[in-house]
Amino acid sequence: MAKSSSSLIKSKLVQVGIYLSFFLVFVSGIFRYVLDPKDQTRCQSMLNDGWWQDPPSFTKWQPAGCMMHTYRPTEIADCLEHARVLYVGDSIVRQQFFALAQTIHPDVDMTGAKHVDRRYQFKEYNLVLEFWWDPFLNSSRTIDMLKTTASSTADEQPQPSMLVIGSGLWYMRYRGEDEYREEWQDAVDRVLDAVQRSSKVADAVVLTPVEMPSFDLLSPERERTMTMDRVQSMNDYLRRREQSIRSLTPITIPYVLNKISEGAFNMTEDGLHFESPVTTMQAQIVLNYRCNEQLPKHFPMDTTCCYHYPVPHWYQNLFFALFLVWVPIGIFVISSERPMIRWLRHYFPSEPALNALFAFGLGVIYMYFGDRTQMFGKAQKLYDPTVFAVLMVCMLVAGVITLKAKKEGDHGFLNRDQTDEWKGWMQVIILIYHFCGASSVSGIYNPVRVLVASYLFQTGYGHFYFFYKKADFSLGRVLNVIVRLNLLTFVLQYVMDTDYLSYYFTPLVSFWFLVIWMTLYVGHASNKSSWRWILGKIGVAATTTTIVIHVRGVLEKIFELLYWMFRIQWNAQEWRFRLALDGWIVYVGMLCAYATIQFSEHRLSEHPQWPTVKRASVIASVVAMALYFSFELSLSSKFVYNRFHPFVSWVPILAFVIIRNATVRLRNMSSKFFIFFGRISLETFIGQFHMWLAGDTKGLLLVITHPRAAYGLGWWLNLILSSVLFVHVCYYLSQSTGEITKHVCAVLNPHQQPSSAYQAVPLLPTTTTTTATTTTTTASTAAATATVAAAATSPAGHSSSQLTPASETTPVRWEEDECSLQQPSQPSLLRRSVLLWRDGRVRTALFLFVIGIMNRFC
């Protein structure tokens, strides 16, 4: 009892700590957003701070708190629509000019005299890039340009789409010690006065700071005049002036350009002029300032620097109102005993359903704030083998120290704890894989593809086993699985304004579930009569899905029909790729389930040759596993591997299953850590898209508001905190989704009653007596238990003759079927029109039709 009380206290303290963390994270995010209005788009963060992610190669720059965009020539042309970009200044500005020109056309000619003007015309992009050599910013044409007060006439040069102008080093080098500062300030003031006086100087002006050279590489003459004190003093003046101006022409001073060059210590020979990686990144920073706001305001939103997220659409606001207004009102009404209010209870679902909706809504809104607002920062991914290895070791240690072995009896082949553990460790690996951005490494990508195939193997195995043994093809069964799988994804596609297929695993599992259901439903009365019938149906299904997947035009026609009817825009090519990668493994799972059933029914384990066959199978599995990894590592790239994957993924999967079940001790041993993740694997797989990752999976979410939260130790602290919040939200999403599924199934199919039948639903959280005690309220748990008990003792549902005797079943235990169908009595002719509405099939069809029609307006 004392131990139980101590565990309860520890659990409460952990919950309090997590809720306090949520509170502090949200409060700090709101304070940063409100108290720093100039940086609400993270533009000032990008222009003032950042660091190289990958020295000494210098290809990845991380702005503070946001994700930058790498512009391609067509995007540059679309942004700089006035077709003229002007650079004015010294050799530092000239190097940035060359970098932009090479970004548009890598073969641009940069040879010739140094101190001259340059002009490049890119006719294919309708762009003109000009550079004026004016190191003192005092030439007559520069002064005349800065005097612009009206729009250009036909005889004048068109207004620049972007003006980049800068100076400073030449003043220090060639002006006297007493004159350089005053003359430079006059030049800078002309630029700042111009943007305050007129809105026609350019569409946007970038005044570059005075470069901070690498002083130890400067020549003696330059080192004598270009000192750190002088550079800092000049840049301090720019900061003071920037704070005081009220410009009509947009202008910025990107001090981060100095940080880009300062960190690239091996990218300069003279300490002043830097090589292409540095200047190209400086040019990209300027483009991000100028162009990011013009990027499309739709999914995927993987650029967050200098970017306003779109205002929520009506359907997003509808969900917000549901979760934050309607549900709280409903909770108040249900809990109230006032007669004036009690009559409103008819307009709200039960209290457990409302509590579940509220918890579910808070999780979804957390995702929205994380990935559709600037409240939280975002960071770019960068694969680091050391970080990946450390996280994998931590995962392995957590799994090993929570191992448990059940000593009593043999829990059987692919028992429930084992399959939950299998889903769990695969899910943790996939999470680490996504977080670290390891998809670029073929040796990691290939095994991860096998993990995804393993989920689909479980889909084929579990659903075939259920349908074959229980023969329950009811609407309730289908609704339970489909609603449970798709609820979170369905809501997120509207709240986050994304694409349903982008959460690719939910559509995959849903598609293959329907294939399995249809395969076993057709002629299901003969399923147990002949093995030829079962194998023949599987063969027909495999042929049909192969035609749908691989024959060009089939998916396209289906998707065109969906677009014509409901404005559903799905990418047939992407969906074909996803389906084709694992087009066979589901059928392997189905065949494996059928073989397992036949093995049990024929008692082959009692055959005298079985021990020999088992030992040979284990040895063959070890060899097969080694050969698979040798094969996948020998391939040149992941793109080559993808061609082989559909035909070889079953090898390591079956090898693992055989090895994992080789002995009773192995079958009875499992890890609590991995089991926990296995039971929330659906929510972690979908939830990671917006509350662990960010930028629609292209980046990482920063819940720590400090600008350098993604740098050094801050990266690890953010990982720990964001992971705790992520897992906590996923756990309660899993609990609430199960409760909401019950309610949705009851509404769509009102004659169904819950039963105690277990369901085989890979990727869905399972329910046991132990986990049932962790539901949100004691009352809801008691109600659920009473309902299940009533259903188990009632005569409704399948007769005992339809169920397989316990001695013939596999030890696999699947979660409870929340939506088994009890067939209603045949309605009379007079009441048929009324009872038609009560038919679950009619309600489900109407619900899908209404959703489709509403989608036309989204």
Side-chain angles (χ1 to χ4, degrees):
M1 181 65 70
K3 184 177 180 180
S4 176
S5 299
S6 176
S7 299
L8 183 61
I9 292 173
K10 290 180 180 178
S11 175
K12 292 294 183 183
L13 288 175
V14 169
Q15 284 190 333
V16 170
I18 292 174
Y19 293 142
L20 181 60
S21 298
F22 266 116
F23 176 77
L24 294 176
V25 162
F26 267 93
V27 168
S28 60
I30 293 172
F31 276 10
R32 188 214 68 85
Y33 189 83
V34 173
L35 298 180
D36 193 4
K38 291 185 178 180
D39 198 28
Q40 290 183 349
T41 63
R42 304 275 176 176
C43 206
Q44 291 302 311
S45 295
M46 180 196 75
L47 295 170
N48 287 280
D49 196 10
W51 54 90
W52 288 106
Q53 290 182 293
D54 59 343
S57 57
F58 300 108
T59 60
K60 297 284 187 179
W61 178 260
Q62 174 61 63
C66 62
M67 299 164 58
M68 64 183 293
H69 187 76
T70 300
Y71 280 89
R72 299 185 297 271
T74 53
E75 294 172 319
I76 296 173
D78 291 340
C79 169
L80 305 177
E81 55 192 8
H82 289 305
R84 180 170 178 253
V85 180
L86 179 60
Y87 280 70
V88 181
D90 54 18
S91 57
I92 307 303
V93 176
R94 182 189 63 211
Q95 295 301 105
Q96 297 172 22
F97 167 79
F98 282 151
L100 179 60
Q102 286 187 306
T103 300
I104 299 172
H105 199 296
D107 298 328
V108 68
D109 183 14
M110 297 185 298
T111 60
K114 294 182 179 180
H115 301 163
V116 296
D117 297 344
R118 298 281 182 142
R119 186 177 188 275
Y120 299 121
Q121 184 171 5
F122 304 98
K123 293 183 179 179
E124 64 270 37
Y125 302 117
N126 194 29
L127 275 177
V128 174
L129 266 63
E130 290 186 66
F131 169 71
W132 293 353
W133 173 255
D134 189 3
F136 296 110
L137 303 184
N138 62 355
S139 67
S140 58
R141 62 178 173 179
T142 300
I143 294 174
D144 290 342
M145 176 192 65
L146 294 175
K147 289 180 179 179
T148 301
T149 58
S151 59
S152 302
T153 65
D155 298 329
E156 296 176 328
Q157 288 274 23
Q159 175 180 321
S161 180
M162 181 170 69
L163 170 63
V164 181
I165 187 168
S167 180
L169 295 180
W170 272 59
Y171 277 101
M172 287 186 285
R173 179 75 177 86
Y174 295 106
R175 290 292 189 264
E177 186 172 346
D178 297 329
E179 297 86 9
Y180 85 93
R181 177 63 182 268
E182 183 178 350
E183 293 184 17
W184 172 80
Q185 287 184 187
D186 290 340
V188 168
D189 288 343
R190 278 196 296 271
V191 177
L192 298 177
D193 291 343
V195 298
Q196 292 184 94
R197 182 177 59 253
S198 172
S199 62
K200 303 300 181 179
V201 177
D203 288 356
V205 176
V206 177
L207 176 59
T208 62
V210 181
E211 183 179 84
M212 186 71 71
S214 294
F215 295 100
D216 54 340
L217 297 178
L218 293 176
S219 63
E221 294 81 4
R222 287 173 173 169
E223 187 177 11
R224 181 176 57 83
T225 56
M226 299 177 184
T227 65
M228 181 178 294
D229 289 340
R230 290 185 175 185
V231 174
Q232 289 179 340
S233 175
M234 296 164 80
N235 284 329
D236 287 342
Y237 177 79
L238 289 177
R239 287 187 174 91
R240 291 194 301 271
R241 288 287 283 121
E242 184 183 24
Q243 295 298 321
S244 63
I245 64 173
R246 296 294 182 266
S247 63
L248 298 177
T249 298
I251 185 172
T252 189
I253 305 175
Y255 302 100
V256 74
L257 300 186
N258 277 344
K259 292 196 173 185
I260 293 175
S261 58
E262 288 173 19
F265 49 85
N266 63 342
M267 287 288 167
T268 178
E269 294 182 357
D270 60 3
L272 205 60
H273 302 98
F274 287 82
E275 296 177 14
S276 177
V278 172
T279 56
T280 297
M281 193 58 64
Q282 291 173 331
Q284 288 289 345
I285 289 288
V286 171
L287 288 172
N288 273 254
Y289 162 73
R290 171 64 179 86
C291 299
N292 280 5
E293 193 57 42
Q294 299 180 34
L295 290 173
K297 303 285 186 177
H298 59 68
F299 167 85
M301 300 181 193
D302 54 1
T303 299
T304 65
C305 299
C306 301
Y307 185 80
H308 282 96
Y309 282 98
V311 176
H313 298 288
W314 66 267
Y315 46 88
Q316 294 171 291
N317 290 322
L318 190 63
F319 276 104
F320 298 151
L322 170 69
F323 295 136
L324 297 178
V325 179
W326 185 79
V327 170
I329 291 175
I331 294 174
F332 171 76
V333 169
I334 293 295
S335 61
S336 176
E337 296 298 330
R338 298 178 182 177
M340 296 286 292
I341 297 178
R342 291 180 62 183
W343 67 274
L344 293 173
R345 293 181 180 182
H346 300 290
Y347 299 97
F348 297 96
S350 64
E351 185 175 2
L354 285 170
N355 290 333
L357 276 170
F358 188 64
F360 182 88
L362 290 180
V364 170
I365 290 171
Y366 173 57
M367 294 188 220
Y368 181 86
F369 277 106
D371 206 18
R372 287 297 181 268
T373 71
Q374 293 286 9
M375 180 179 293
F376 299 121
K378 285 86 177 174
Q380 295 155 180
K381 296 181 185 179
L382 179 70
Y383 174 69
D384 185 331
T386 302
V387 172
F388 182 82
V390 168
L391 294 179
M392 292 294 290
V393 169
C394 291
M395 177 205 75
L396 181 62
V397 170
V400 170
I401 63 178
T402 57
L403 279 174
K404 63 174 182 177
K406 295 182 178 179
K407 298 181 180 179
E408 66 281 359
D410 182 353
H411 287 263
F413 179 78
L414 285 180
N415 60 77
R416 181 178 170 187
D417 279 351
Q418 186 186 132
T419 52
D420 282 342
E421 178 202 72
W422 187 6
K423 290 183 289 184
W425 66 257
M426 289 193 303
Q427 183 58 35
V428 176
I429 291 176
I430 291 174
L431 289 172
I432 295 173
Y433 164 84
H434 285 156
F435 195 85
C436 293
S439 61
S440 59
V441 183
S442 178
I444 300 175
Y445 169 88
N446 301 344
V448 169
R449 290 306 323 162
V450 173
L451 300 186
V452 176
S454 298
Y455 278 117
L456 295 177
F457 171 86
Q458 289 192 48
T459 298
Y461 183 95
H463 289 303
F464 181 96
Y465 200 101
F466 179 91
F467 286 130
Y468 186 88
K469 300 293 283 187
K470 296 295 181 69
D472 178 9
F473 302 97
S474 64
L475 175 63
R477 168 67 178 178
V478 175
L479 280 177
N480 177 68
V481 175
I482 293 299
V483 173
R484 184 65 181 84
L485 277 173
N486 288 272
L487 181 62
L488 181 58
T489 301
F490 171 80
V491 173
L492 286 179
Q493 70 171 330
Y494 290 106
V495 172
M496 307 302 293
D497 205 13
T498 58
D499 180 1
Y500 173 72
L501 294 187
S502 66
Y503 307 96
Y504 65 92
F505 203 86
T506 297
L508 271 180
V509 177
S510 301
F511 172 83
W512 288 114
F513 165 75
L514 293 175
V515 169
I516 297 165
W517 175 79
M518 183 63 71
T519 301
L520 291 179
Y521 176 71
V522 174
H524 61 273
S526 303
N527 280 348
K528 298 182 180 180
S529 62
S530 171
W531 60 270
R532 293 182 179 85
W533 176 244
I534 285 289
L535 296 184
K537 290 202 296 181
I538 292 176
V540 171
T543 302
T544 303
T545 55
T546 300
I547 292 173
V548 171
I549 295 170
H550 292 283
V551 174
R552 299 285 174 174
V554 177
L555 281 177
E556 284 78 2
K557 290 298 181 183
I558 295 173
F559 287 4
E560 286 176 8
L561 178 62
L562 289 175
Y563 178 77
W564 177 76
M565 293 180 64
F566 306 121
R567 290 295 188 269
I568 296 175
Q569 301 184 38
W570 289 347
N571 188 320
Q573 184 177 354
E574 174 68 17
W575 189 226
R576 177 176 290 109
F577 169 76
R578 294 292 184 185
L579 288 174
L581 269 180
D582 300 300
W584 302 105
I585 195 62
V586 172
Y587 297 111
V588 174
M590 295 170 69
L591 292 173
C592 187
Y594 187 63
T596 302
I597 294 169
Q598 296 302 312
F599 181 91
S600 176
E601 291 180 349
H602 291 84
R603 301 181 181 275
L604 295 181
S605 61
E606 300 175 5
H607 194 281
Q609 295 299 318
W610 171 240
T612 303
V613 173
K614 184 169 71 171
R615 284 192 294 271
S617 299
V618 172
I619 294 172
S621 298
V622 173
V623 173
M625 191 76 80
L627 289 176
Y628 166 79
F629 281 105
S630 175
F631 168 74
E632 66 96 0
L633 289 172
S634 69
L635 299 178
S636 59
S637 71
K638 65 181 185 180
F639 304 105
V640 176
Y641 172 79
N642 282 341
R643 297 202 296 266
F644 294 96
H645 174 78
F647 309 102
V648 302
S649 62
W650 63 272
V651 174
I653 293 173
L654 292 186
F656 168 79
V657 169
I658 293 172
I659 295 171
R660 183 68 176 83
N661 291 272
T663 66
V664 174
R665 180 174 176 80
L666 285 174
R667 288 194 292 272
N668 287 2
M669 184 175 292
S670 55
S671 167
K672 291 182 179 179
F673 177 77
F674 293 136
I675 288 173
F676 171 79
F677 277 94
R679 291 175 178 174
I680 61 171
S681 53
L682 175 63
E683 285 69 32
T684 53
F685 197 99
I686 303 303
Q688 66 172 321
F689 282 59
H690 304 296
M691 60 174 167
W692 203 46
L693 307 177
D696 291 317
T697 76
K698 300 300 189 296
L700 310 176
L701 182 65
L702 302 178
V703 296
I704 300 176
T705 57
H706 192 276
R708 289 192 162 236
Y711 182 74
L713 181 61
W715 190 92
W716 291 97
L717 293 175
N718 181 78
L719 169 63
I720 295 171
L721 181 56
S722 67
S723 298
V724 170
L725 301 183
F726 165 64
V727 173
H728 181 80
V729 173
C730 287
Y731 174 78
Y732 282 99
L733 280 174
S734 175
Q735 300 293 311
S736 59
T737 302
E739 183 63 39
I740 296 170
T741 297
K742 294 179 185 179
H743 181 74
V744 172
C745 289
V747 171
L748 293 179
N749 197 24
H751 295 287
Q752 67 192 22
Q753 294 292 334
S755 79
S756 59
Y758 287 104
Q759 60 174 301
V761 187
L763 270 187
L764 298 191
T766 50
T767 305
T768 64
T769 304
T770 302
T771 57
T773 61
T774 62
T775 52
T776 55
T777 63
T778 305
S780 62
T781 303
T785 305
T787 303
V788 172
T793 57
S794 68
H798 300 287
S799 65
S800 59
S801 62
Q802 293 175 297
L803 301 178
T804 305
S807 60
E808 297 179 12
T809 60
T810 180
V812 179
R813 298 175 62 204
W814 306 103
E815 79 177 38
E816 297 179 8
D817 188 349
E818 298 158 346
C819 300
S820 295
L821 176 65
Q822 179 185 5
Q823 296 293 338
S825 58
Q826 183 69 26
S828 65
L829 293 175
L830 295 176
R831 300 183 61 195
R832 187 178 298 274
S833 59
V834 176
L835 293 177
L836 187 64
W837 167 243
R838 300 180 184 177
D839 191 317
R841 293 166 296 182
V842 174
R843 287 195 176 195
T844 302
L846 286 175
F847 174 76
L848 294 176
F849 181 77
V850 170
I851 292 297
I853 295 300
M854 290 181 63
N855 194 79
R856 293 181 63 91
F857 303 98
C858 295

